[in-house]
């Protein structure tokens, strides 16, 4: 069964360091999402891609976060510099393009980030 | 702005009991609603997706209902088992033809099923 892949699964970094997460969506899924989930809360959308283009990054803290999906397949989310408040689970999801098949999103296993 | 609320925040039941998890949302203009399961420290697993035109969906021991006009959904779990212990999240998708899919999540209900 096709799955969304994410790496690393766990990351511990010191404050002010740079960190990067990788996501490989389900093959054929044009839409890719990055979410941040703080412990005890639901996920919140950081950025949405349609192919290689950013559709929505209104909730992305652009002073320190960046995301790219250069070839419209896999994606990287970067934080530089990391802050203590960035400790969270970072989830990647993918779906067919909007308008197709009901927007069902499929999630990866997540990357648990701890900033010390 | 769509707000999604899940009550209760935590629930503990003995094995074998039937239970209901609740989800409410403030804007009834939704495209669909999705229920997810999340095990500790893991990603989200989709359980059921209900289109706005549907009233319910069933999968095994799970049944999800949707009352769009009142802004409510319930997830019914029959004959609960210890393996059902997890956090259950509901999420709503906005109505098309929005280009972006600003799915809004509740904070989840943490379920514990005791043997």
């Amino acid at each position: 069964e096709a799955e969304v892949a994410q790496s690393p699964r766990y990351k511990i970094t010191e404050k002010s360091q740079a960190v990067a997460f990788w996501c490989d969506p389900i093959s054929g899924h044009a839409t890719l999402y990055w979410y941040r989930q703080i412990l005890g809360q639901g996920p919140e959308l950081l950025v949405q891609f349609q192919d290689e283009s950013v559709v929505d990054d209104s909730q992305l803290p652009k002073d320190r976060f960046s995301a790219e999906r250069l070839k419209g397949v896999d994606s990287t989310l970067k934080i530089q510099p990391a802050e203590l408040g960035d400790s969270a689970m970072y989830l990647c999801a993918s779906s067919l393009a909007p308008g197709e098949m009901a927007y069902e999103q499929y999630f990866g296993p997540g990357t648990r980030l701890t900033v010390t | 702005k769509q707000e999604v609320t899940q009550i209760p925040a935590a629930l503990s039941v003995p094995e074998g009991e039937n239970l209901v998890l609740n989800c409410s949302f403030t804007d009834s203009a939704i495209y669909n609603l999705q229920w997810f399961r999340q095990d500790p420290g893991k990603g989200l697993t989709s359980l059921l997706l209900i289109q706005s035109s549907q009233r319910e969906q069933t999968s095994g021991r799970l049944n999800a209902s949707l009352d769009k006009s009142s802004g409510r959904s319930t997830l019914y779990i029959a004959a609960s088992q210890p393996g059902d212990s997890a956090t259950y999240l509901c999420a709503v998708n906005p109505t098309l033809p929005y280009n972006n899919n600003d799915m809004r999540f509740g904070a989840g209900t943490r379920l514990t099923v005791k043997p």
Side-chain angles (χ1 to χ4, degrees), chain A residues 9-10 33 35 37 40-43 45 48 55-56 89 91 95 98-99 101-105 107-110 112, chain B residues 31-32 34 36 38 41-46 49 51 89 93-94 96-108:
Chain A
R9 293 293 309 280
Y10 305 92
Y33 315 82
Y35 290 88
Q37 184 180 25
Q41 299 182 18
L45 182 70
Q48 177 184 343
V55 173
D56 182 3
M89 174 75 87
L91 295 162
S95 70
M101 297 297 294
Y103 273 141
E104 185 163 9
Q105 294 188 20
F107 283 77
R112 167 70 69 188
Chain B
Y31 184 63
N32 61 36
Q34 207 165 346
F36 294 89
Q38 187 173 32
K42 302 292 178 63
L44 277 64
T45 300
S46 180
L49 182 146
Q51 298 292 349
L89 297 122
N93 280 309
L96 289 175
Y98 292 114
N99 189 41
N100 60 307
N101 180 17
D102 190 10
M103 189 157 72
R104 297 293 174 128
F105 284 83

Side-chain angles (χ1 to χ4, degrees), chain A:
Chain A
E1 183 176 309
E3 295 180 342
V4 177
Q6 288 189 249
S7 66
R9 293 293 309 280
Y10 305 92
K11 181 69 178 179
I12 300 174
T13 192
E14 293 182 348
K15 179 182 171 183
S16 80
Q17 295 298 303
V19 64
F21 314 130
W22 177 80
C23 172
D24 191 14
I26 292 172
S27 178
H29 280 191
T31 309
L32 184 147
Y33 315 82
W34 282 103
Y35 290 88
R36 177 170 60 187
Q37 184 180 25
I38 296 169
L39 191 64
Q41 299 182 18
E44 292 186 332
L45 182 70
L46 290 174
V47 61
Q48 177 184 343
F49 288 92
Q50 182 66 32
D51 299 309
E52 66 276 9
S53 300
V54 173
V55 173
D56 182 3
D57 63 356
S58 57
Q59 300 302 310
L60 189 71
K62 298 182 188 63
D63 57 335
R64 297 184 301 106
F65 286 65
S66 64
E68 61 183 16
R69 192 184 184 199
L70 294 176
K71 297 182 179 178
V73 181
D74 58 338
S75 175
T76 302
L77 178 69
K78 297 179 181 177
I79 308 175
Q80 181 174 18
E83 295 182 353
L84 295 177
D86 296 332
S87 296
M89 174 75 87
Y90 291 82
L91 295 162
C92 179
S94 70
S95 70
L96 294 170
E100 296 182 50
M101 297 297 294
Y103 273 141
E104 185 163 9
Q105 294 188 20
Y106 297 85
F107 283 77
T111 296
R112 167 70 69 188
L113 173 67
T114 302
V115 182
T116 62

Side-chain angles (χ1 to χ4, degrees), chain B residues 9-73:
Chain B
L11 180 64
S12 181
V13 301
E15 181 177 3
E17 191 163 297
N18 301 325
L19 59 100
V20 174
L21 307 180
N22 297 294
C23 173
S24 61
F25 45 95
T26 55
D27 186 348
S28 62
I30 66 169
Y31 184 63
N32 61 36
L33 182 146
Q34 207 165 346
W35 281 93
F36 294 89
R37 168 183 173 139
Q38 187 173 32
D39 292 291
K42 302 292 178 63
L44 277 64
T45 300
S46 180
L47 297 173
L48 290 164
L49 182 146
I50 312 176
Q51 298 292 349
S52 62
S53 59
Q54 296 176 319
R55 299 282 297 183
E56 65 179 291
Q57 281 284 340
T58 298
S59 176
R61 294 183 293 109
L62 306 179
N63 176 277
S65 68
L66 174 64
D67 184 343
K68 197 174 73 165
S69 61
S70 68
R72 294 184 179 182
S73 176

